[in-house]
Amino acid sequence: MSDTPHQIPSPRTYFSNALSTSELEKVTQLGNSLLQNPFSYHDSVEFINLLHKGLRVHIDQQSSAAGAGHLKPYELLKDLTAARESMTSRFAMGEDLWADWIEDQRLLATSLEDKLAIRELCEKAVSEEATSSKLWLLYGQWMQTEYEDLGKKEVALGRTTNGQTQLSAEEEQMMAAEVFGWQQLLSIWQRGAQETMWRVNDSAQAWDRYTELLLQDLASSPQPEAVRKIEQWFISRLQIPHASWDTTSQNFSTFVSAADNDNWETIMQQANRMGTEAKQKYTSREFKELGLETVRRTGDLTAELKAFNEYIDSELEMPRRKRAFDFNLANALFQRALLRFPANTELWERYIMFLNEEIAQHGRREISILPSLEKATRHCPWSGTLWAQYMLAAEIANLPYPEIEDIKHRATKTDLLDLGDLNETVKVMTAWCGFLRRRAFTPQSNDEDMDVAEVGIRSAIEDLQTTGRRRFGKDYAGDPEYRLERIYIKYLTQARNYQGARETFRKLCATKGHDSDFWLRYYVFEIITWSKLTYSEMDTDKGRQTRPIEATQVLQQALRRSDLDYPEKILRTYLHHCEDHEDAEQLQIANAQVWKQSKAIQRRREQETLDQWNKYQLEQQQYQLEQQQQQSDGRPAPAVNGSAGDDQDHLGKRKRDEETDQSSSKKTRPGDLEEEPQVQPQSLPADSLQKRDRENATIIVRNIPTTTTTTKVRQFFRDCGTINSLKLTSERDGQSQIAFLEFETKEDVTTAQTKEGKDLDGNPVEIQVGSGEILYVCNFPPTTDEAWLRQKFEQFGQILDIRFPSLKYNTHRRFAYIQFQSAGEAHAATALDGEKLEGGLELLAKISDPGHKQSRHGAMYEGREVYIANLPWNVDWKELKALFKQYGYVETARIPRKFNGMAKGMGYVVFRDKPDVEKALALNKTIWKGRVLNVSISTNDSSKRQAIDVGDSSQSQRTTASPAPHSQSPAAGAGTDSPDPAARIDKMKEIQSRTVALLNIPDTVNDARIRALAEPFGEVVQVMLKPNRQGAVIEFREQASAGKASLALEGREIVPGRQIKVGTTLEMRGMKEEVKVDRIGGGPPTKQKKQGGGDGVGPVTAVPGPALVRRPGAGGGGAGRRGGLGAKRGGGVGNSGERATTTTTTTSEGPEADVEVPDAGQSKAKSNADFKAMMMGE
């Protein structure tokens, strides 16, 4: 699908004294690579940069040797020029490459002809990168130098030929005066000022220089019209946000005082009034600008790109109704980012989608997106998304067919789209075929247009198949989404060639028959076709007697497939179809078929899960046997990419290193040196949590009558915006009430202030914006609760509320917010900041200020942490550390564990130096102890780091659920598979008998508080929080301790208004996470789906295994859940009518994992006769 050169030039070797041997080797490699693939963008850029570097070195060498008369030309100059011209014909050069080219030509220019070529080169550069301050500044300064040289009559450095005639010095002077004259200089600086005026950071560079030239022009010929022109120039500038706004205003004041002093006050007042909004807009963005500039100076391009994206995010999130959002500023910000990262495909695609949204949703019809798409496809010609958008925009702009065809040809004439998995090519061909189909059915279309569309679409499908087989072999199955075929089917349907469309579907069955979505699409086509043919071409009464036979056959054909991914979808559709369209006989057949296949699918799903569990068990037993065999033979366990001898050689040093790693706490017990070292917890990004700005979105309402209720207060402010929370309390004098209202946005607060002085139940209310009433407190003891904080801080004033953070996403969070009645009371409470507490803690108490939130730091955010998945289950942290230490110094290695002490199959390794992380990625996809490791750089992905299960298995406060190695806790053996299933089941039952589940625990309560509640009743083995289930699990050493705790803790108040409920881990599994609804006026609450299947055919019985294979639509729920059609609730009775003959215990996965095992003490299932006999007392 691409045009390739017919003849490839022979390879060559490059040579120059200006480049080192290694650089010449690289140049030769790149040059010959470009002969093979001239459309390689990155090779072209690197090739040009190396040749440019050689030119600069050559010029420096010749400058130092100029006195000796050894001037030589640069050997690779022609290659550099050819490479630049070749690249600009295929790609966009970008700001930096254009600047280097212009600078090189300036250094090499020796005649007027050379300078005219530079002028032409500058025009090409600013035409392609029109918003580049760097290029405009370079262009303008060079023009100004030439203008000044023109005045000194130094332009005739050589002779210029005009055709075949050699120009004289006078003719050259006249030509130079026309090209480098005053008006030309003014024009260039004016264009530069206008093109860059929305760049808030550096637009002053071109604008200030042009203004200086205007003032010079005015000084030479002062005219009233010129004065008014410059005044308007200044005033328009003050209405545009820019960094030097104050300087511009000061310069304007100086100009007006000199040119029109009598009207100075009037003019300046008008200018300041008109420029206030622009100044405010820059002020709101100044912090982002400073941060961006700071990152740019570090030279870290990755950090700079991230800063640009964050800046763009904040820009696009600005509210439009308050005029905070400015399209020109957002557009200029995108342009700045694209100038810095000209080949970043994702950034270009985001920019184009931004323009599309502005045009389509915000009515900016004045925007012409075609030039931007032309520029985008030149910068990133490998992006199918950009080419597809280009064709779509050209179609919307009603460009002629040949021009749109040319866009398609330019997109596919190279191999750039085929570099990946053909997905980019498919995007382009989808856009092209969609255009052909739509064009064929416009009111102005004719038979020729339809023929062109049919031939074009079929050719695209054939070309894609040919390319796919050439790239991937004969087994290439085509586009997984069959996009081109779908367009062809749509075309045939519109052309009323229903049989042709049906044949296309039938051909696809061979490659797409495993996809249930394909069959549903096929079914929809048949049912729509049937309805069109039946009710449009037949008599109505006759149509009522027909049935959609083809649609029924499609579903029946799908159900005969044994490789369907989600057959449940087809079963439901088949049953509903027969209910809606078929007769009673066919419906009866469908009911039987659906019931039969549903039971078969249910058994298959259970068997898949069971096979998965058995495979896991077999792997574990095999690994244990290998370990035992190695130990009995006296052989050490095999090491990967290392040896045991290396560990022995450095045993002393390693031990000291490990001791150092684990000495973060001041108090260290001897036994702790053998435990897994802990790393500093790293919090999730703020984006993963709900963003609320309480400090700036709260108002305080006073003078509320004592009889007023919260409902009336809410109604009084409901038209101001969404109220997140409302608290109403009595004033100290008891004569009135005071209310604290938190709104969703700061704009809502501004609206609420308009209620100042209005009557509420007869009293005029007083409103003030809340600021400084909230105290941020942290570094208090782990067992601290609300009562402790209230007792500590109530001496400073009335405390209205105390908030602890949710622990659902990070259980290491330990801070609180205390809201006082007034800002003065909160500031007085900061007197406790720095107070020494027991345990060596130093209390922190400061006024809450989100604007001064510290940036996150830690190994993960510094890129020094590696995430390892698919670890062997029996590996400990020492083995993991030994595996990775070959790549650099390892600070810590950590393997998260479950409640039963068993590893979760993943781990984290923290290196001291960031470069070592890249080296460690060499272990990715390598086999270690029978498992294929997945090694990647650790990220703040909440799916990996979400702290749902947090345990504590020692007497001290630790953050892991793994028992100590020296511990004799029964839990220590729970994670080991016993060869005797009966013994393993007994062990799990014994652990469960010592385990207590606490329900109704708020997600703000940490494990230290739970441990403090449990320890009075006996020794605690471990504690595990379940914040996503509103609970906690406690394992005691003795069964009697669990019994005492169950009786004593039932009904105890854990926080004000919340009482503990004692239950089992199975009951906890049925709990949902705590939903905190304190928002008022935000609309009706969102309905949540109930647990269990909704449309399933029957319940699915729980089977042993780590987790059920989750697939959509497989209906059915377990006991206590709502089942699908035919499923009975409660009692554990399924469709078969038989009661379960198993009881639920725990497996090696811990108290929360369920497995059905026989219970020797359980009788057989009770019949109705047994139930009747029991009731009759027989």
Side-chain angles (χ1 to χ4, degrees), residues 617-828:
Q617 295 280 39
L618 184 62
E619 289 177 354
Q620 294 303 304
Q621 293 177 5
Q622 183 177 0
Y623 176 71
Q624 291 174 7
L625 290 175
E626 291 176 357
Q627 294 287 77
Q628 294 173 3
Q629 184 66 30
Q630 291 171 359
Q631 292 176 3
S632 62
D633 295 343
R635 293 183 289 110
V640 178
N641 297 329
S643 64
D646 177 68
D647 292 341
Q648 296 296 328
D649 292 341
H650 301 279
L651 182 61
K653 182 179 184 301
R654 268 184 50 221
K655 184 171 182 65
R656 290 192 299 271
D657 292 342
E658 292 169 4
E659 291 175 355
T660 304
D661 293 341
Q662 301 175 71
S663 60
S664 57
S665 60
K666 296 182 179 179
K667 298 181 179 180
T668 306
R669 303 188 318 273
D672 290 341
L673 294 178
E674 294 299 323
E675 297 180 2
E676 180 177 338
Q678 303 301 313
V679 296
Q680 183 66 23
Q682 302 178 41
S683 61
L684 284 172
D687 294 342
S688 65
L689 305 175
Q690 185 180 9
K691 296 181 179 179
R692 294 177 67 170
D693 190 5
R694 293 183 174 92
E695 287 74 8
N696 298 313
T698 302
I699 64 171
I700 302 172
V701 187
R702 299 182 183 275
N703 200 31
I704 300 175
T706 56
T707 57
T708 302
T709 62
T710 55
T711 301
K712 289 188 176 181
V713 176
R714 173 174 55 83
Q715 293 174 347
F716 186 73
F717 288 97
R718 65 183 175 184
D719 58 341
C720 300
T722 301
I723 302 175
N724 282 347
S725 64
L726 187 156
K727 291 180 175 57
L728 186 64
T729 185
S730 299
E731 291 271 22
R732 291 182 175 178
D733 56 8
Q735 302 299 316
S736 62
Q737 297 185 94
I738 180 173
F740 292 81
L741 285 83
E742 179 202 340
F743 287 92
E744 190 170 40
T745 65
K746 292 186 287 187
E747 289 74 16
D748 296 339
V749 170
T750 304
T751 306
Q753 288 181 276
T754 60
K755 299 284 188 177
E756 173 75 26
K758 294 185 178 180
D759 284 349
L760 176 58
D761 286 349
N763 283 14
V765 297
E766 302 173 2
I767 299 176
Q768 71 179 74
V769 178
S771 178
E773 296 89 2
I774 300 178
L775 191 71
Y776 172 77
V777 184
C778 69
N779 214 28
F780 40 72
T783 57
T784 297
D785 56 8
E786 181 176 335
W788 188 92
L789 290 176
R790 190 174 294 275
Q791 180 182 5
K792 192 77 173 177
F793 287 93
E794 64 183 357
Q795 57 181 309
F796 300 101
Q798 185 176 0
I799 297 177
L800 301 178
D801 187 29
I802 297 178
R803 298 192 309 272
F804 286 92
S806 172
L807 305 181
K808 285 190 295 185
Y809 300 101
N810 185 357
T811 56
H812 301 289
R813 306 169 85 193
R814 195 165 82 231
F815 58 87
Y817 293 100
I818 303 177
Q819 184 170 12
F820 287 89
Q821 189 172 18
S822 67
E825 295 174 348
H827 281 79

Side-chain angles (χ1 to χ4, degrees), residues 865-1137:
E865 186 178 68
V866 174
Y867 169 72
I868 309 101
N870 204 33
L871 279 174
W873 303 102
N874 297 78
V875 168
D876 61 17
W877 67 270
K878 292 183 180 180
E879 294 176 284
L880 186 63
K881 183 174 181 178
L883 174 65
F884 279 87
K885 75 171 187 177
Q886 59 184 310
Y887 300 105
Y889 182 81
V890 176
E891 289 186 348
T892 57
R894 180 168 63 96
I895 298 179
R897 298 185 178 273
K898 301 178 183 178
F899 174 49
N900 58 0
M902 204 173 165
K904 290 187 175 182
M906 62 180 183
Y908 299 91
V909 172
V910 176
F911 286 91
R912 181 180 60 188
D913 302 317
K914 184 177 180 180
D916 296 337
V917 173
E918 296 292 339
K919 301 176 185 176
L921 296 181
L923 285 178
N924 188 36
K925 302 303 181 184
T926 60
I927 299 177
W928 188 42
K929 296 188 177 182
R931 304 296 289 260
V932 179
L933 300 182
N934 294 322
V935 183
S936 60
I937 298 176
S938 184
T939 63
N940 56 2
D941 184 4
S942 61
S943 64
K944 298 176 184 176
R945 296 185 169 273
Q946 180 168 274
I948 293 178
D949 300 345
V950 170
D952 182 1
S953 62
S954 68
Q955 295 295 339
S956 62
Q957 298 301 328
R958 291 172 49 201
T959 57
T960 176
S962 58
H966 57 275
S967 174
Q968 298 301 319
S969 167
T976 305
D977 295 329
S978 173
D980 184 2
R984 180 170 59 87
I985 293 173
D986 291 341
K987 172 64 68 176
M988 290 184 292
K989 286 183 177 181
E990 191 270 335
I991 293 176
Q992 191 176 34
S993 67
R994 297 184 282 103
T995 302
V996 175
L998 305 184
L999 311 179
N1000 200 32
I1001 303 297
D1003 59 12
T1004 59
V1005 176
N1006 60 16
D1007 56 339
R1009 293 173 61 180
I1010 299 297
R1011 174 171 285 277
L1013 286 175
E1015 284 182 335
F1017 306 103
E1019 184 179 353
V1020 176
V1021 175
Q1022 55 183 336
V1023 172
M1024 181 172 67
L1025 287 181
K1026 297 290 291 183
N1028 65 325
R1029 301 291 186 189
Q1030 301 186 58
V1033 179
I1034 309 172
E1035 181 188 349
F1036 288 92
R1037 180 77 66 184
E1038 303 292 340
Q1039 183 175 353
S1041 302
K1044 295 177 184 178
S1046 299
L1047 295 174
L1049 295 179
E1050 177 70 34
R1052 178 178 294 189
E1053 192 174 62
I1054 181 70
V1055 298
R1058 294 284 292 270
Q1059 293 182 341
I1060 297 175
K1061 297 179 181 179
V1062 179
T1064 64
T1065 55
L1066 288 180
E1067 292 175 333
M1068 183 180 297
R1069 292 185 64 184
M1071 300 290 292
K1072 296 182 179 179
E1073 67 179 67
E1074 185 176 358
V1075 179
K1076 301 177 181 179
V1077 182
D1078 58 353
R1079 183 165 298 188
I1080 303 170
T1086 303
K1087 294 182 179 180
Q1088 298 184 355
K1089 294 183 179 180
K1090 296 182 179 181
Q1091 296 181 358
D1095 298 316
V1097 181
V1100 178
T1101 307
V1103 296
L1108 284 175
V1109 178
R1110 299 185 180 181
R1111 287 182 171 87
R1121 301 182 182 180
R1122 173 176 294 181
L1125 296 174
K1128 297 182 180 180
R1129 304 181 189 176
V1133 182
N1135 287 347
S1136 63

